[in-house]
Amino acid sequence: MNKRLTKEGILFVISGPSGSGKDTVIDSIRALDDSIGTSISATTRPMRKGEAEGVNYYYKTYEEFDALIEAGDVLEWDTFQGNKYGTLKSELDNQLKQGKCIMLAITVPGALKIKELFPKESVLIFNLPPSLDTLKYRIINRGRESEAEAESRFRAAIDNEIPKAVLFDYILVNDDLSETVDSLMAIIKAESSKFSRNKTILNDLHLID
């Protein structure tokens, strides 16, 4: 019986300001390739209509979330409108051990923390809008926040998030969704084919020591 060759898992971290379209890009990628996994985050916010436990989020009380932090299972977290959102170490570890490619959409500070904790496995991709005017339009027209909250998000993008794009491995300008998805697929294929990420396969074939 032929032995199934093992690949090393890769963690593709998509980040950028609110309104840059991170989730839309990831949804489009997964529609093209359902072998790409996603990491389900934990949150303290209430479940919304149409959502499900373990599909959209792991819904936790504040006490449960803090206990996960204390146990070291929350790699990074952020607070938005009084609720905590965090990436679970157990989620990433399980999928990386299986050699999966994982796509993760998180905040800019969260992405940099993931790079610190998974320096070899992670690839950071900064998702930019085509212009600041477009970004402001997208934030305001989502209708998720008040006018003051939307303005605060826009200022945070300009002052704190976009300047950190220089710390990322790749930049995507999300103007035309189809072109953005094509570019991201090219990044995924190139990173998956790197020699440094395929040593396990070569070891399995006894081609290298």
Side-chain angles (χ1 to χ4, degrees):
M1 181 181 294
N2 291 331
K3 180 183 176 182
R4 187 174 181 270
L5 300 178
T6 56
K7 291 181 68 68
E8 296 180 12
I10 311 175
L11 180 53
F12 293 97
V13 183
I14 314 294
S15 193
S18 295
S20 60
K22 301 182 292 292
D23 291 329
T24 301
V25 171
I26 287 183
D27 289 344
S28 299
I29 286 287
R30 296 199 72 223
L32 293 173
D33 187 350
D34 59 11
S35 70
I36 296 176
T38 58
S39 172
I40 301 170
S41 299
T43 183
T44 59
R45 80 155 170 77
M47 187 185 301
R48 294 170 181 165
K49 184 178 180 180
E51 294 183 342
E53 171 73 16
V55 176
N56 302 95
Y57 288 100
Y58 294 110
Y59 299 91
K60 305 294 182 182
T61 64
Y62 287 95
E63 292 77 11
E64 289 171 336
F65 198 101
D66 289 342
L68 289 172
I69 294 174
E70 185 67 24
D73 194 28
V74 182
L75 294 176
E76 58 81 31
W77 67 94
D78 196 14
T79 301
F80 176 60
Q81 293 186 344
N83 288 304
K84 292 181 178 179
Y85 297 79
T87 303
L88 299 177
K89 183 177 185 296
S90 54
E91 271 285 299
L92 299 185
D93 283 342
N94 289 337
Q95 296 194 62
L96 288 172
K97 286 177 182 177
Q98 296 174 45
K100 290 186 177 180
C101 286
I102 311 165
M103 302 225 75
L104 180 63
I106 56 176
T107 64
V108 172
L112 297 175
K113 184 65 174 179
I114 291 293
K115 189 67 172 181
E116 178 185 329
L117 296 169
F118 293 90
K120 294 182 180 179
E121 297 91 343
S122 61
V123 178
L124 301 194
I125 302 163
F126 200 95
N127 199 47
L128 276 174
S131 69
L132 293 179
D133 286 342
T134 299
L135 177 63
K136 190 168 188 177
Y137 175 84
R138 289 176 180 175
I139 292 173
I140 292 172
N141 283 273
R142 291 186 309 176
R144 297 180 186 175
E145 301 107 353
S146 67
E147 183 177 343
E149 289 168 339
E151 180 63 28
S152 177
R153 285 231 177 223
F154 180 65
R155 293 311 315 174
I158 295 174
D159 297 336
N160 303 321
E161 295 173 321
I162 293 176
K164 291 185 173 64
V166 296
L167 301 174
F168 282 62
D169 300 305
Y170 295 92
I171 299 292
L172 290 179
V173 178
N174 187 17
D175 187 5
D176 180 274
L177 179 60
S178 178
E179 291 181 3
T180 302
V181 169
D182 286 345
S183 296
L184 183 51
M185 284 298 294
I187 292 171
I188 293 170
K189 290 178 181 178
E191 287 289 336
S192 299
S193 299
K194 278 187 174 179
F195 173 80
S196 61
R197 300 191 188 280
N198 288 279
K199 289 183 180 179
T200 304
I201 290 178
L202 297 175
N203 279 324
D204 288 346
L205 293 172
H206 305 292
L207 295 177
I208 62 174
D209 296 324

